[in-house]
Amino acid sequence: MDTCIAGQADLEHLARLLWLNASPDEQAKQSVESFATDLAAWWTEHDDSHLAFVARLSESEVVGMAWLALVPRAPRPGNTSRRSADIQSVFVVPEQRGNGIGSALVQAASEHAFRLGASRVTVHSGRKAVPVYERLGFASSRQLLQREPD
């Protein structure tokens, strides 16, 4: 298995994985082919802030993905290029789960974020995946809070 940063040639694979990761109600709203067109437009618009990582078993078989959102932070004296990162939409096809693919994707995305100067990497996880993220060095923080819309 190989993990790497995705390119435009991976668009159809990414669209398929994002579509598979959607709820049945979301899938019913749009075909995977139509979604691929929308994803291409979105990715073009956000290529400066979002990178996708893919896991390949072969050149034509992409079995997992993770997205990395890079967020600029307000500058501080002596550090005008601050940024943080958020891992999003980690997904591995069900038949390949339990083989370390998700962990490899998260590790690759995190390491890339730190190489780019991110001071932290966050992830919003489902309860079932929390132990996986903890094994990869993520920890809960009382200082990182969130607010839902009213």
Side-chain angles (χ1 to χ4, degrees), residues 3-6 14 17 51-55 62 64-68 105-106 108-110 112-113 115:
T3 59
C4 62
I5 295 175
L14 290 165
L17 293 171
L51 296 169
F53 289 77
V54 292
V62 175
M65 68 174 174
W67 287 80
L68 178 65
L105 286 162
V106 169
S110 297
H112 190 77
R115 277 193 304 274

Side-chain angles (χ1 to χ4, degrees), residues 71-84 117 119:
V71 182
R73 299 186 67 209
R76 302 285 292 207
N79 188 358
T80 59
S81 60
R82 296 173 60 209
R83 67 172 68 182
S84 59
S119 58

Side-chain angles (χ1 to χ4, degrees), residues 8-23 26-27 30-40 43 52-65 67 89-97 101:
Q8 288 296 321
D10 295 307
L11 182 68
E12 289 183 21
H13 296 295
L14 290 165
R16 179 182 61 86
L17 293 171
L18 284 163
W19 192 86
L20 289 171
N21 194 28
S23 71
E26 291 171 317
Q27 291 175 347
Q30 188 173 26
S31 70
V32 68
E33 296 82 12
S34 172
F35 175 64
T37 301
D38 289 348
L39 177 61
W43 200 6
F53 289 77
V54 292
R56 299 178 193 285
L57 294 184
S58 68
E59 185 64 31
S60 62
E61 189 175 9
V62 175
V63 296
M65 68 174 174
W67 287 80
S89 299
V90 177
F91 178 77
V92 175
V93 295
E95 58 273 15
Q96 292 296 328
R97 292 180 185 159
I101 295 170

